[in-house]
Every structure is written in C-alpha cells, then in structure tokens.
C-alpha cells in the first residue's frame, strides 16, 4: 500500500489599486488608523450604490490572461450571503457561475523534478471583508472590528487538485507570486495579508491489488505564509493517513463531509473548525446593484498585447541573450521585475552579461540584504553600475578598482544618474585607478625599478620565478592604475633582454 | 414549503420566529410559492437565464480615491464602539 497527496490551492490576492473595488475609499493597509477608510458603500449603509473600479477589473483580466485562462466575454456579480461582523452588508459581492476567467494553467519549476503544469479552474474578482480582532485573553470581552479593508479588491485563484507534494505547492506559489509581481497586480506582502491561501488536501491510497481509495477532503484555512502551506500539507497527510488506518473512513461514505480546519502556526498543527454553512446556504443571487461587464474578442486581444513579459519568458530570453546559466538566470529573474530590469540595464550598458550577473547577484545583492531594502532604493543606479563595469570590460580599470569605486559610490548614497557618472570618473581620476595604457610611461617606470634591483633581476634569470613579485609591487605603487598582468609581462621581457 | 424549511430560512436570516409565526409563515410562504409556480408552465428551454433586469453593461469608474468618512461619522450609527473600533459581542475563536 502506498499513497499520493492530492492538493488544490485557493489563493486570495489583494490588487494594487488606488481605491476600493466599489467605492472611492483609498485601498491601503492602515491598521494604525482603524475605520478611517470607509464610506456609506463599504459600510453597507442603506441607499448606497456600488460602482465597479475599472482598474481592478483590468488587473484581473491581465492576471487571467497571464494564467492562460479563457476570458469570459460576459461576466457578472453575485451576492454571497453570510453573517459576520467584518461584513456589514451581510453579503460579499463575488462571482459565482460566470467568473471573468476560467480553465488556465501555470507552470512552475519544482526543484529536482522539472516543470510542473498546474491547472487553474478559475480566477474571479470579489471584495475583501474587514478585520475582526478577538479578545485573546479569554476574558470574553467584545471583539473589535476595523473596516478599512472592507470592500478592497481581491482576486481568488483556484487550482485544479493537481499538486502532489508540499514542494510542488511551494513552487506553484513562488511562481504565482513572481508573476503577480511582474504584472504589477499585487505586492503579495504576506505580513500585510496581501496574499492568503487555503489548501484542499486529501490522500489517494493505492492498495497492492490496484485499488484506489480517497480520504475525506480537508480544507485548511488561515495559511498566511508559504512555509505554513508546506507544513500544513505535510501535517495533514500524516494526520489523514493515521485516521484512515484507524477508522477506514473514506470519501463518499455516508455522513462524510468536507471538513474545514484552521492552521495554528505556533504549534504547527491543524485544528477542527465548526463547519461553515453548506455552499447552497450562501444563497448566491445576481447583484441587482451592479450591471454585467462585456468584453469583445478584440478588447481581450488588446489587453493581451499590452501584457508585460512573464518571468518564464524572461528567463528564456536572458539565458539566450546574455549566455547565462539557468541558475544565474533564475536567481536574477526570481528577485522580481525591478531587479531583473536593473540587471538588464547593467548588462546592456557594460555589454557583458556574465559580468553584470556576477555583480548584481553578489555585490549588489549583498548590499541589499545588509540594508534590507529593495533594488528601487539602491543608491547606485543601473546605468552608473553598467558604466563602471563597461570600464572593466574595456580594460580601463581592474575589477579590484571597480570594487573601490563601487564602495565609494555606496557611501555617497543616492545620487542622480548624470552626477553618478561624473563621480565615477572623478573617483578613478583622484585615486589614479585608470589602467595606464600609455606604455611609454609604464616602460620608464619599469626600467627605473629594474635598474635599482639588478640582484632580483639576476635571481629571476637564474630561475627564481617568485623573485619578480616585489618588482611588480614596486611598479604598481608608482603607477596606480597599472594592470598587474601587463607589468609582469613587461618586466619579464625587459629582464630577458 | 414545510416547517423545517421555514425554520432553516429563519435561521439563515437570523430571525427568531415564535411557534405561531412558524405556522403562519409556513402557510403564507406555501401560498406564495404555489402562486409563483404558475411561471413553471412557460417553456424556457431555449431562454438564456437573465443576469440583470436592466439591459445595461460596463458601468465602470476610474480608479481615483475620494475622501472617506471621518471615523466619528463612520462609527456614529453603530450600537457600540470604543471611539476607534466597532464593538461586537465576542466572536468565538475556535481551537
Ligand atoms: Zn468606501
């Protein structure tokens, strides 16, 4: 007997719009100022009317297209009815039978396993609820409700039960998050709840006689970190196997329903929750306050044409254009669109992809980590770094000198681009870092040094290779920008004469 | 419409019905549904379900934030607040 874990994910993504989905309240994470971003519409006051945010719908369609979904030419809005204090209207505006997109897929690279294609059942647009805060002390005090988030746009992306392990789920989520970053659809900040996940998990148990049994499906909610998703999947797989071995209960048995469990991140366990009302009890009905949206095939095509380059395409293009390893390309592309753009500019400016990749993934990345900032806040612009590296590529300065300039630029903090270029030249000038290509000057110094060190020259002639080191050092001290290789070559030639 | 259906509907709507109301509404709702059932006589096999009563689509607004209500105003209709949050009877956290 062996078993397979079967996982489907429902991911909720907050859209990066300026205003809420159906009203003009600002769409901003602002827990420090509760209940300051509300109006009659999002408070559900009688007589108020929702109006759809064009940008929210456009971002949704872009995401649907990027997930290879069919985009519906006719889509409408439905009321999902339930009572909870964070939902003052007592219904959530969502999409039920006619979501704006359906039947797509996303491909993700799973470590040590290759590319996994994950089917997308549907993506639909809905409004978020507010936030309840409970009395954690057990003192039974009132719960607090903040409605700042109520009515903000939320995209729900539902996969087929195609995932077979925690690693596959993680790979899917990583790629989804990256795609949304490239599309500019969401910042996917999990601390701020911009990306939340529910996982449907069960096991297929394969008997030695070829039989297959499915365990009851469990939906784990409250997964607000990718780590949590992975842990919850592994925990559930073990728990369900134990229960199956104990009770033999399986999907389809009388009285077996889908179970909803919560995730306790502190104890790393799932726990039973009161089962929610059955789907039919949400009493979905078309929202009479909102009219449908229609799109022509041409309009959908127009949005498709305007889409940005996706991470997968960018990986492919980078590895071809800059002759980089798959590993280097992934490191760069997976940092997000801004970082990849930065790299691309550096590479274009210096004309050497490998050089640009090394600097971006090492020197730049190290600084970003130390400062805990994103590339957008990095003091050295892409053009400046590219220009600096171009000098290394053209053999005008050494890599070591470039590091010196880089360090000084870092200390001078944010500089505007043209000033940065002038500053690079100035540092090179002041420190005498320019490789002296004027062989006349270099030759003079080499001859002077040799003349003062006849004994060392003799030692070298008699076969002591190491003797030349101090001579190179002396020349380099005299001519700072000299290339050690050139100096060495010149010394050997002159000693040989 | 039977008694259980009325009780479930009342529960979903968070309505507390007295015994006599359950009896009365079971009767009234049954009458209503029977009346509306006349519509079942119409052949709708080739008719698309209607999504909206008005033949209008694509009513959208630009993504421009406008001023929200002041917090005091937002809270002013609530039965209970602490001046910052809406307060509601404790919600049980399961676990
Ligand atoms: Zn509002």
């Amino acid at each position: 007997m062996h078993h397979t874990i079967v996982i489907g994910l429902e991911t909720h993504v907050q859209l990066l719009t300026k205003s809420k989905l159906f009203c003009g309240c600002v769409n901003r994470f602002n827990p420090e100022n509760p209940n300051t971003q509300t109006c009659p519409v999002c408070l559900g006051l009688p007589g108020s009317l929702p109006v759809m945010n064009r940008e929210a719908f456009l971002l949704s369609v872009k995401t649907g297209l990027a997930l290879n979904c069919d985009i519906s030419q006719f889509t409408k809005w439905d009321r999902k009815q339930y009572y909870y204090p964070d939902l003052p209207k007592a219904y959530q505006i969502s999409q039920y039978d006619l979501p704006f997109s359906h039947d797509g897929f996303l491909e993700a690279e799973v470590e040590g396993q290759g590319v996994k294609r994950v089917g997308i059942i549907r993506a639909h647009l809905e409004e978020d609820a507010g936030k309840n805060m409970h009395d954690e002390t057990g003192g039974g005090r009132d719960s607090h409700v903040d409605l700042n988030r109520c009515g903000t746009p939320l995209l729900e992306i539902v996969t087929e039960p195609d995932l077979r392990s925690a690693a596959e789920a993680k790979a899917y989520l990583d790629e989804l998050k990256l795609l949304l970053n490239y599309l500019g659809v969401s910042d996917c900040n999990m601390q701020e709840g911009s990306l939340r996940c529910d996982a449907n998990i069960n096991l297929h148990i394969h008997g030695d006689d070829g039989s297959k049994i499915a365990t009851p499906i469990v939906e784990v909610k409250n997964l607000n970190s990718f780590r949590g998703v992975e842990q919850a999947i592994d925990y559930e797989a073990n728990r369900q196997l134990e229960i199956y071995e104990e009770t033999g209960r399986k999907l389809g048995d009388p009285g077996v329903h889908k179970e909803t469990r919560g995730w306790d991140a502190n104890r790393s366990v799932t726990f039973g929750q009161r089962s929610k009302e059955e789907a039919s009890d949400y009493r979905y009905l078309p929202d009479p306050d909102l009219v449908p949206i229609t799109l022509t095939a041409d309009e959908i095509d127009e949005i498709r044409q305007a889409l940005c380059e996706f991470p997968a395409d960018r990986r492919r293009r980078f590895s071809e254009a800059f002759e980089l390893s798959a590993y280097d390309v992934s490191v760069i592309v997976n940092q997000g669109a801004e970082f990849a753009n930065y790299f691309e500019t550096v590479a274009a400016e210096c004309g050497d992809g490998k050089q640009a990749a090394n600097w971006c993934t090492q020197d730049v990345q190290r600084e970003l980590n130390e400062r805990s900032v994103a590339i957008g806040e990095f003091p050295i612009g892409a053009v400046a770094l590219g220009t600096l590296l171009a000098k290394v590529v053209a053999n005008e300065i050494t890599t070591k000198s470039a590091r010196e300039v880089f360090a000084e630029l870092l200390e001078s903090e944010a500089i505007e681009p043209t000033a940065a270029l002038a500053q690079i030249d100035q540092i090179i000038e002041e420190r005498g870092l320019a490789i002296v290509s004027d062989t006349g000057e270099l030759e003079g110094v080499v001859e002077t040094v040799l003349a003062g060190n006849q004994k060392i020259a003799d030692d070298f002639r008699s076969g002591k290779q190491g003797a030349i080191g101090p001579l190179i050092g002396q020349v380099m001290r005299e001519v700072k920008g000299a290339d050690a290789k050139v100096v060495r070559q010149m010394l050997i030639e002159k000693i040989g004469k | 419409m039977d008694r259980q259906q009325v009780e479930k509907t009342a529960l979903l709507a968070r309505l507390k019905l007295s015994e006599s109301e359950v009896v009365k509404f079971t009767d009234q709702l049954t009458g209503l549904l029977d009346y509306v059932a006349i519509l079942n006589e119409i052949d709708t096999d080739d008719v698309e379900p209607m999504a909206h009563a008005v033949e209008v689509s694509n009513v959208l607004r630009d993504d421009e934030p406008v001023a929200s209500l002041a917090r005091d105003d937002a809270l002013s209709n609530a039965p209970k607040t602490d001046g910052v949050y809406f307060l509601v009877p404790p919600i049980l956290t399961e676990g």
Side-chain angles (χ1 to χ4, degrees), chain A residues 23 25 39 42:
Chain A
C23 63
C25 290
C39 73
C42 52

Side-chain angles (χ1 to χ4, degrees), chain A residues 20 22-26 37-43 150, chain B residues 68:
Chain A
K20 291 187 180 181
F22 298 115
C23 63
C25 290
V26 68
Q37 296 166 196
T38 69
C39 73
V41 174
C42 52
L43 288 173
C150 193
Chain B
S68 292

Side-chain angles (χ1 to χ4, degrees), chain A residues 19-20 23-24 54 142 294, chain B residues 58 61-63 66 71 80:
Chain A
S19 63
K20 291 187 180 181
C23 63
R54 178 180 288 111
D142 286 337
T294 58
Chain B
N58 298 13
R61 66 179 175 86
D62 291 336
D63 183 25
V66 297
R71 181 193 284 146
K80 197 172 178 188

